[in-house]
Amino acid sequence: MTTEATATALQEFTENWREWYRAQEARIADPHGFLAITGLHWLDGTPRRFPDAPGAWHTGPDGVVVRLDDGEELVVGGTPVRGEHRFGVLAERDGVDAVWGDAVIEVAKRGGHDIVRPRHPDAPLRTAFTGTPAYTPDPRWAVTGRYVPFDEPRPTTVGAAVEGLEHVYDAPGRIEFELLGRRLSLTAFPGHGAGRLMVLFTDATSGVTTYAANRVLTVGPPAADGTVVLDFNRAANLPCAYTDLATCPLPPAENRLPVAIKAGLRIPRERGGS
């Protein structure tokens, strides 16, 4: 490849990364994104009111219920609701967004527990957000690996950013690759979209220049021969890197890589990064 072609390829690689980075930042800074969360409320059988949401909330065998006082209203699925509203039984990692004025009240199940997590656009964490530090993109951190499916998905229990909480994923396989002269592998979880994979990991930069608990890498569907691309330039932060009001999963033990991956998003300024 000529010098000019190499420069053009690098420019295209960098611009593609910048588009990805801008999309990441837009998602985290969304008016109802994770920076807008003002509370993480764990529900039980006792109806309780919260300062950042309307109504009294509880849960039980039939799912989440809210009882709205006179003059209080939520909009669920485009329909205004008053009085008592039953959200029903929610699936793990599922949720419903109920609109309250300019806020969104997230009703969800995480780690087997029903939660209410209000999101207000004027939350101080969101209004003060100035962007996430990141490493300069470098093609050497984009490596080809091979996806090796398990004979059948393996239920894999991992910890969470919230102490005592656990998440369970059905891991479909692992990804084998070489990086910095080391042969490595990562257990993969199902990603968003048909055939896509998600990898949770830490490495030798974790807690030094990148967030200590976890980072996440999205991997496209494997080719017919199992080939995948791991572009660590796109190693992203999960919401717990920014706020204590998140329930993010931690990587399985085998995904703690013994190499320093100086690529992707760094420690957020909200956690002291620069």
Side-chain angles (χ1 to χ4, degrees), residues 238-272:
L238 289 169
C240 57
Y242 300 87
T243 174
D244 292 332
L245 304 177
T247 61
C248 305
L250 303 179
E254 66 270 21
N255 284 14
R256 298 167 187 165
L257 300 177
V259 295
I261 299 178
K262 299 178 181 180
L265 300 190
R266 299 167 62 115
I267 297 173
R269 294 184 177 90
E270 290 73 15
R271 299 291 193 187

Side-chain angles (χ1 to χ4, degrees), residues 24-230:
Q24 291 288 318
E25 293 293 273
R27 184 159 45 250
I28 197 69
D30 184 88
H32 299 122
F34 271 88
L35 295 179
I37 293 175
T38 54
L40 173 57
H41 308 301
W42 302 88
L43 302 183
D44 55 26
T46 302
R48 287 182 295 152
R49 296 188 66 92
F50 308 115
D52 48 358
W57 300 78
H58 71 277
T59 190
D62 296 325
V64 177
V65 179
V66 63
R67 179 68 190 179
L68 300 166
D69 285 350
D70 291 343
E72 293 182 325
E73 178 183 278
L74 289 170
V75 178
V76 182
T79 301
V81 297
R82 301 177 182 87
E84 183 177 275
H85 180 74
R86 296 179 175 270
F87 289 87
V89 177
L90 300 172
E92 181 63 31
R93 290 189 287 277
D94 198 3
V96 175
D97 286 341
V99 178
W100 181 44
D102 66 351
V104 163
I105 311 301
E106 177 194 11
V107 185
K109 185 181 289 287
R110 297 293 184 269
H113 302 273
D114 289 321
I115 63 172
V116 169
R117 196 158 44 180
R119 302 170 184 239
H120 291 259
D122 61 354
L125 193 64
R126 177 180 177 272
T127 57
F129 182 62
T130 58
T132 308
Y135 281 102
T136 301
D138 187 332
R140 74 189 180 102
W141 295 110
V143 300
T144 299
R146 185 164 83 74
Y147 172 66
V148 181
F150 298 140
D151 291 337
E152 57 184 48
R154 297 179 182 175
T156 304
T157 301
V158 298
V162 174
E163 187 175 354
L165 194 69
E166 292 183 334
H167 297 277
V168 180
Y169 292 88
D170 286 331
R174 69 177 182 274
I175 298 173
E176 299 174 344
F177 61 103
E178 290 190 15
L179 185 65
L180 300 176
R182 302 283 294 269
R183 298 185 65 178
L184 304 167
S185 70
L186 289 163
T187 295
F189 294 149
H192 297 292
R196 297 179 71 82
L197 302 169
M198 174 186 74
V199 173
L200 299 167
F201 74 97
T202 58
D203 64 276
T205 70
S206 300
V208 182
T209 57
T210 63
Y211 185 59
N214 50 26
R215 285 196 289 168
V216 63
L217 186 62
T218 297
V219 182
D225 63 355
T227 298
V228 294
V229 174
L230 297 167

Side-chain angles (χ1 to χ4, degrees), residues 15-24 233-236 265:
E15 185 51 42
N16 287 339
W17 179 87
R18 285 175 178 158
E19 289 181 9
W20 169 84
Y21 175 79
R22 286 192 289 267
Q24 291 288 318
N233 294 286
R234 302 190 182 200
L265 300 190

